[in-house]
Amino acid sequence: MTSRDPLGAVEQTATAEEIVATLRHDLRNCFGTIRNAAFFIRRKVGREQAFRDDPRVEQFLDVIDEEAIAASALVDGAVDANPSLRRRPVSASARECVLTAAACARIAGPGIRVDVDAAEGVVELDPAELALAVRCLVENAAESMPGGGVVTLRGSVAGARYRIEVGDTGTGVPEEEREAITRPFYTTKPGRLGLGLNIAGRVARRYFGALTLGRGAPSGTLACIELPLALAPEPPGAGALVEGRP
């Protein structure tokens, strides 16, 4: 067991990103509500004598609308300007990312084993982000088996995509919680933020992939991340013309 978490920094960034994204969404809704209210008031009192007699009424309504627009743009700009959220994807081994996730998974419960089998595959992304996304799924799977069990972690090539599957032998997700578990900050576990699935899904979408959740076989839950494989580089001279041929 290492004393330093190699995925700690990227996890902090991913957690901050989820929190900021949620706040930005909520603030946008608030600013939209303010603009709609100002528009309604303008329409409602536009024919009133007080509105026509005092030009400041319309001016203040304009100020409300303009400030709401400016505040919304300020929120977006503050996030986009954050250098910690800028990434430079590289060609990475998906297998190594899976192995890193398994090695770094924080599993506190007794009697839980992670069974790993990953094939080679090259993907274009930030390898630490993919390792973190898979680790989130492994930890979620482990937490679903308080009495112990096996987390199966599989990586395979399926056509032009790399498929990472994380399964558990728990009881599965109750019907009434299936929609709720994808919401930010939803958790049934004390002391947890409830962002694991959101982080995994955001990482998958960022690199043109997807996260899906389904029933495991014969029980439990199966989480799957699919990502496009990196394009193989052309061999030297592949695009050159051969003398005497077009």
Side-chain angles (χ1 to χ4, degrees), residues 63-200:
V63 168
I64 292 172
D65 194 51
E66 291 167 2
E67 290 299 316
I69 294 173
S72 182
L74 184 63
V75 169
D76 290 341
V79 174
D80 295 338
N82 189 338
S84 68
L85 303 182
R86 298 172 188 167
R87 298 162 181 86
R88 290 188 176 89
V90 298
S91 293
S93 166
R95 181 175 185 274
E96 289 301 319
C97 294
V98 169
L99 295 178
T100 299
C104 295
R106 300 164 297 192
I107 298 175
I112 296 176
R113 176 170 59 89
V114 181
D115 183 18
V116 187
D117 183 12
E120 290 291 351
V122 179
V123 287
E124 195 80 14
L125 42 65
D126 182 329
E129 281 200 305
L130 178 57
L132 174 64
V134 177
R135 185 176 85 170
C136 288
L137 298 182
V138 170
E139 291 174 352
N140 274 4
E143 289 172 355
S144 72
M145 302 181 295
V150 179
V151 176
T152 55
L153 178 53
R154 301 287 181 262
S156 60
V157 174
R161 301 177 78 77
Y162 194 88
R163 182 180 178 89
I164 301 171
E165 296 181 339
V166 181
D168 61 66
T169 55
T171 57
V173 180
E175 185 73 33
E176 62 274 14
E177 291 185 18
R178 287 185 182 174
E179 188 274 332
I181 62 173
T182 60
R183 300 178 197 157
F185 308 113
Y186 178 85
T187 181
T188 59
K189 306 172 184 68
R192 302 303 295 269
L193 283 175
L195 292 176
L197 288 177
N198 299 92
I199 290 173

